[in-house]
């Protein structure tokens, strides 16, 4: 695996939206999906692809084990499909799999040139090319949480640690395809119909049903059109329509505009939160912590805090050791 130089990053829609912007993709964002129902999915607006996160099972790595789908030969479908050769970047690759297969998106000069240059590569070579794409690697690694202290014995061994994996779902020529970089090719999961995002719901639910009823560690996100811009366009359109309507219809337009303005404000608040969270992820807090410890020590407070913490820990351990009456 060519994973040297790629760090593990958090699965978060705000982080992924920032990553897409950093690599040059315009007018797009990532939204978390909380409910797999038609109303919730259709409220997302224009959806370019869906990302599904699930707990990896050993049999997931077996290319012959395809349930409710058909493994396609990569050369038989005109889809940009790359094998995953980066252990720590399956989320980033899942996102790239969507944007590189969305011709209606402006993916920027560098990704456009990269796609054109590698389009005739086989999946393994495409995956290797992605692993060496400096712009994407830099954007990915910029979201690495600062880990300046490693406590001995705290890190789990690979044997005990749960492994999670990301796959993508996209519509293509009337069908829904699953793009999983650990497979030999795209997996045709079914017909897209008139509304591919609604058709995708049972596909994802079917994947979830492959696990036990006690398994709830799933996450679904969608790559969608920039919602702030979407609301602004809808408001501008309704403002123009309102001018040509009668009193009743104009009032209806005004009511809808008010709803959209509330949605727009909520979206702007969410983006401010995302910006703060992304900044905090990247910020180095060590100098602040060190200065705080020095200040506490200079005032004679540090030892008191340490002794108090030790006493509290001892008390908790004694309480937990007492047999239940």
């Amino acid at each position: 695996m060519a994973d040297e130089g790629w760090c593990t990053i958090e699965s978060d829609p705000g982080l992924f939206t920032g990553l897409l912007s950093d690599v040059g993709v315009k007018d797009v964002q990532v939204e978390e999906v909380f409910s797999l129902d038609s109303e919730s999915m259709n409220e997302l607006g224009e959806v370019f692809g869906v990302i599904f996160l699930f707990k990896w099972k050993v049999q997931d790595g077996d290319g012959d084990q395809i349930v409710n789908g058909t493994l396609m030969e990569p050369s038989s479908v005109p889809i940009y499909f790359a094998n995953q050769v980066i252990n720590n970047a399956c989320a980033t690759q899942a996102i790239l799999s969507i944007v590189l297969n969305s011709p209606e998106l402006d993916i920027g000069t560098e990704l456009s040139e990269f796609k054109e240059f590698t389009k005739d590569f086989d999946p393994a070579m495409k995956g290797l090319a992605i692993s060496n794409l400096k712009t994407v690697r830099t954007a990915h690694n910029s979201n690495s949480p600062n880990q300046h202290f490693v406590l001995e014995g705290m890190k789990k061994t690979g044997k005990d640690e749960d492994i999670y994996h990301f796959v993508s779902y996209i519509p293509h020529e009337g069908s829904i395809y699953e793009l999983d970089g650990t497979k030999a090719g795209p997996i045709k999961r079914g017909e897209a119909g008139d509304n591919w995002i609604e058709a995708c719901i049972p596909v994802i639910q079917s994947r979830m049903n492959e696990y036990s009823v006690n398994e709830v560690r799933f996450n679904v996100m969608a790559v969608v059109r920039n919602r702030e811009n979407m609301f602004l366009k809808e408001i501008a359109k309704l403002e123009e329509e309102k001018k040509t309507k009668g009193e009743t219809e104009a009032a209806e337009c005004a009511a809808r505009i008010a709803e959209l303005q509330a949605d727009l404000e909520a979206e702007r608040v969410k983006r401010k939160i995302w910006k703060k969270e992304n900044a905090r992820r990247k910020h180095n807090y060590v100098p602040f912590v060190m200065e705080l410890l020095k200040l506490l020590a200079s005032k004679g407070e540090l030892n008191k805090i340490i002794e108090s913490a030790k006493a509290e820990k001892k008390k908790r351990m004694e309480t937990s050791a007492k047999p239940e009456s």
Side-chain angles (χ1 to χ4, degrees), residues 211-219:
Y211 294 79
S212 73
V213 292
N214 296 322
E215 180 57 68
V216 295
R217 289 169 291 184
F218 302 110
N219 185 232

Side-chain angles (χ1 to χ4, degrees), residues 7 48 86-87 237:
C7 66
F48 303 102
I86 317 163
N87 278 336
K237 181 181 176 181

